[in-house]
Amino acid sequence: MEITESNTTESSILNAAKGIFQRKGMAAARMQEIADEAGINKSMLHYYYRSKQLLFEAVFKSAFSTLAPQLNEIINADNSLFDKIINFTQNYITFIVKHPYLPNFIIQELNRNPEFARKLFSEKMPNIDKFRKQIENDVTNGLIKPINAEQLFINILALNVFPFVGAPLIKGFLNIDDKDFLKLMHERKIEVSDFIINAIKI
Amino acid sequence: MEITESNTTESSILNAAKGIFQRKGMAAARMQEIADEAGINKSMLHYYYRSKQLLFEAVFKSAFSTLAPQLNEIINADNSLFDKIINFTQNYITFIVKHPYLPNFIIQELNRNPEFARKLFSEKMPNIDKFRKQIENDVTNGLIKPINAEQLFINILALNVFPFVGAPLIKGFLNIDDKDFLKLMHERKIEVSDFIINAIKI
DNA sequence: GTCTATAGCCAGATAGAC
DNA sequence: GTCTATCTGGCTATAGAC
C-alpha cells in the first residue's frame, strides 16, 4: 500500500529543497533553511536523504528531467519548422512563468561543475541530425533563408530562455517592476515566434 | 609617486579574486583558494580588503562597471539602428570570448541578491526613451516592422548574452567540444546581427 | 519516524612576531 | 607588509532518547 501519495515528510522535504536550492544554489543553501521551510527537524533531512549532496542531486535530477525533454522538442518533434517554433515558444514560456528559477538553477550548477554536465549528457545523448536535415530541406525547398542548424537552435534557446535567466538585468535596464516584466513575458509567447519566423522566412 | 602600477600585492589579490569569484560565485569561493592563486598568504586578503564580503564587492563592481556600459550602447549610442545592432554584436561577442565567465557571474549574483540589483540600478538609472523614440521613428518611416522597444532590447541581449551564460547546456545539446563552440561564437559576430536585422527589416 | 544534543570540521577573521 | 598560529562561529552530520 505504499503506492499512494505516501511519505508526506519525504515529499515536503523535497519540495522545500527545490525551493531553496533553486533560489540559492548548492553552495549557499543551508540545510537548516530547508528544514524550516519543510516545517520539520533538520535531522530528518539526513534520515531521508543521507547528505546535503544527495539531497541536492535529487533536486537537480528532478529539475533537469523536467527541462531537458522540453528543449528536446526543438530537435525531435515531428511537426513543421514553423509549427515547432510556435509550439515550443508558447509551451516553454507558459511553463517557465510558473517555475522561474528553474533554468537559472540548472545553468548555474552546470557552469559550476562542467564534468557533471558532460556525464549528464553522455548518458542520453541528444542528436540534432533530424533537426539539421529538416533545416536543410526547408532551405532547399525555398521555405527559409540559408541558416546553420546549430545557430538556429541557439537562437531559439536564447530568445526563450534568456529573459528568465537574466531577469534582474532586464528589470534593471528597462527600469520595470515584476508586474511589467511578467506582462512582457506573456507577450513573448507570440512575439518570440514571430521574431524568429520573420528572421528566417523568405 | 603612488600613481604607478603601484601595489603589486593588492592587484594580484584582486586578479586572483576575480578568477575565483567569477568561476565559483560568492558562496562557493574560498579565501584560501584566492590566496593560493595570488601566491600570497591568506591573512593578506584581510589586510587589504578586510573581509570576504568587501573583496567580493570590489570584484563585482569591477565586473559590472565593465559590462554595463557595453549594454548601455544599445540604448544610448547615436548611430542608426542597424549600425547599432551590427556594432554591438561584433564588439560584445569579441569582448566576452575573452571574458567568458563575466556575464554568468553578474547574472548569478544579481539573481541571488535582488535588492542589491535594485540598489545598483537606482544609482545610475538607464533610460530607454531615446532608444524607444528611435524605434518609433524607424517604424513610422517604414524602415522596420512594428516592434516594441523593450522586446527588441531583450532580443538583442538574449541573442548575444545567452550563448555564454548557457554554454554548458548548448555544448551538451549540440554535443560539441570547446573548440567547436568557440567557432560557433566567432561566426555569431555576424550571424546574430544578420538574424536580428532580417527579423525586423521590411 | 521524530526529536534534542552534540560531535567534528571547516572557513573567515584576528593576534602578534618579525 | 608579510608571515604563523589560533580563535570563533557556523554548518553538516551523527548519536541516542523517545
Side-chain angles (χ1 to χ4, degrees):
Chain A
M1 297 298 108
E2 302 212 334
I3 321 251
T4 56
E5 250 304 305
S6 89
N7 216 326
T8 312
T9 303
E10 182 165 1
S11 64
S12 69
I13 287 175
L14 193 63
N15 281 330
K18 281 181 188 173
I20 303 293
F21 276 130
Q22 291 184 14
R23 265 181 286 125
K24 307 218 165 179
M26 168 66 176
R30 294 291 162 253
M31 294 294 266
Q32 184 62 60
E33 206 177 352
I34 295 173
D36 291 347
E37 181 124 330
I40 47 92
N41 192 278
K42 199 174 50 147
S43 57
M44 284 292 94
L45 303 182
H46 292 94
Y47 179 79
Y48 282 102
Y49 288 92
R50 184 122 198 116
S51 72
K52 184 185 181 183
Q53 178 63 29
L54 289 174
L55 178 53
F56 168 77
E57 285 173 20
V59 169
F60 186 88
K61 274 175 196 160
S62 161
F64 190 78
S65 67
T66 308
L67 198 66
Q70 299 194 55
L71 306 192
N72 245 315
E73 282 287 298
I74 301 174
I75 53 181
N76 280 321
D78 279 323
N79 43 8
S80 76
L81 180 61
F82 288 180
D83 281 354
K84 202 177 266 191
I85 292 166
I86 290 167
N87 287 343
F88 173 73
T89 300
Q90 175 74 237
N91 295 339
Y92 180 81
I93 296 180
T94 302
F95 175 77
I96 296 298
V97 163
K98 291 182 201 136
H99 304 84
Y101 294 111
L102 227 161
N104 188 52
F105 169 65
I106 289 173
I107 283 174
Q108 181 52 28
E109 299 300 334
L110 288 183
N111 269 313
R112 210 174 49 84
N113 197 342
E115 0 271 303
F116 185 42
R118 259 188 296 279
K119 220 178 72 186
L120 249 181
F121 283 104
S122 67
E123 283 171 17
K124 190 170 186 289
M125 197 130 71
N127 188 330
I128 67 150
D129 286 349
K130 181 175 171 182
F131 183 67
R132 193 185 287 119
K133 194 149 288 176
Q134 180 176 38
I135 304 296
E136 284 165 8
N137 276 342
D138 285 0
V139 169
T140 311
N141 294 335
L143 290 173
I144 60 171
K145 301 196 185 91
I147 188 168
N148 178 283
E150 281 83 359
Q151 298 289 7
L152 180 57
F153 177 78
I154 294 175
N155 292 348
I156 295 172
L157 228 55
L159 289 165
N160 281 289
V161 177
F162 178 78
F164 298 97
V165 175
L169 210 57
I170 290 171
K171 286 175 197 163
F173 266 93
L174 297 183
N175 188 27
I176 56 178
D177 59 19
D178 290 359
K179 195 171 131 287
D180 287 341
F181 178 79
L182 208 59
K183 186 156 158 272
L184 282 177
M185 291 309 111
H186 279 117
E187 289 166 7
R188 285 181 80 78
K189 289 180 202 168
I190 56 162
E191 287 281 338
V192 167
S193 45
D194 282 357
F195 190 87
I196 299 171
I197 289 172
N198 278 335
I200 59 176
K201 77 151 182 269
I202 289 196
Chain B
M1 299 294 109
E2 300 213 334
I3 322 252
T4 57
E5 250 304 306
S6 91
N7 215 326
T8 312
T9 303
E10 183 165 359
S11 65
S12 69
I13 288 175
L14 192 62
N15 282 331
K18 281 180 188 173
I20 304 291
F21 275 130
Q22 291 183 16
R23 265 182 285 125
K24 307 219 167 176
M26 167 65 176
R30 294 288 163 258
M31 295 292 265
Q32 185 60 60
E33 205 177 353
I34 295 173
D36 292 347
E37 181 125 329
I40 47 92
N41 193 279
K42 196 174 54 148
S43 57
M44 286 291 94
L45 302 182
H46 292 94
Y47 178 78
Y48 282 102
Y49 290 91
R50 184 124 198 114
S51 72
K52 184 184 182 184
Q53 178 63 28
L54 288 174
L55 178 54
F56 168 78
E57 284 173 19
V59 170
F60 186 88
K61 273 174 196 160
S62 161
F64 191 78
S65 68
T66 308
L67 197 67
Q70 299 194 56
L71 305 192
N72 245 315
E73 282 288 298
I74 301 174
I75 52 181
N76 279 321
D78 279 322
N79 43 10
S80 76
L81 180 61
F82 288 1
D83 281 353
K84 200 177 266 191
I85 292 166
I86 291 167
N87 287 344
F88 174 74
T89 300
Q90 175 73 238
N91 294 340
Y92 180 82
I93 296 180
T94 303
F95 175 78
I96 295 299
V97 164
K98 292 182 200 137
H99 305 84
Y101 295 110
L102 228 161
N104 189 53
F105 169 65
I106 289 174
I107 283 173
Q108 183 52 29
E109 299 300 334
L110 287 184
N111 268 314
R112 190 150 300 165
N113 198 342
E115 1 271 302
F116 186 42
R118 259 189 294 280
K119 220 179 70 184
L120 249 181
F121 283 103
S122 66
E123 283 171 20
K124 191 172 185 290
M125 197 130 72
N127 188 328
I128 69 151
D129 287 348
K130 182 176 169 184
F131 183 68
R132 194 185 287 120
K133 194 149 288 175
Q134 181 175 37
I135 305 296
E136 283 166 8
N137 277 341
D138 286 1
V139 169
T140 311
N141 294 334
L143 290 172
I144 61 171
K145 302 195 184 93
I147 187 167
N148 178 283
E150 280 82 358
Q151 298 289 7
L152 180 56
F153 178 77
I154 293 175
N155 291 349
I156 295 173
L157 227 56
L159 289 165
N160 280 289
V161 178
F162 178 78
F164 298 97
V165 176
L169 210 57
I170 290 170
K171 286 175 195 163
F173 265 93
L174 296 183
N175 189 27
I176 58 178
D177 59 19
D178 290 359
K179 195 173 132 285
D180 287 341
F181 178 79
L182 208 58
K183 186 157 158 271
L184 284 176
M185 292 308 111
H186 279 117
E187 289 167 7
R188 286 181 77 79
K189 288 180 205 168
I190 56 163
E191 286 280 338
V192 167
S193 44
D194 282 358
F195 190 85
I196 299 171
I197 289 172
N198 277 335
I200 58 176
K201 77 151 183 266
I202 290 195

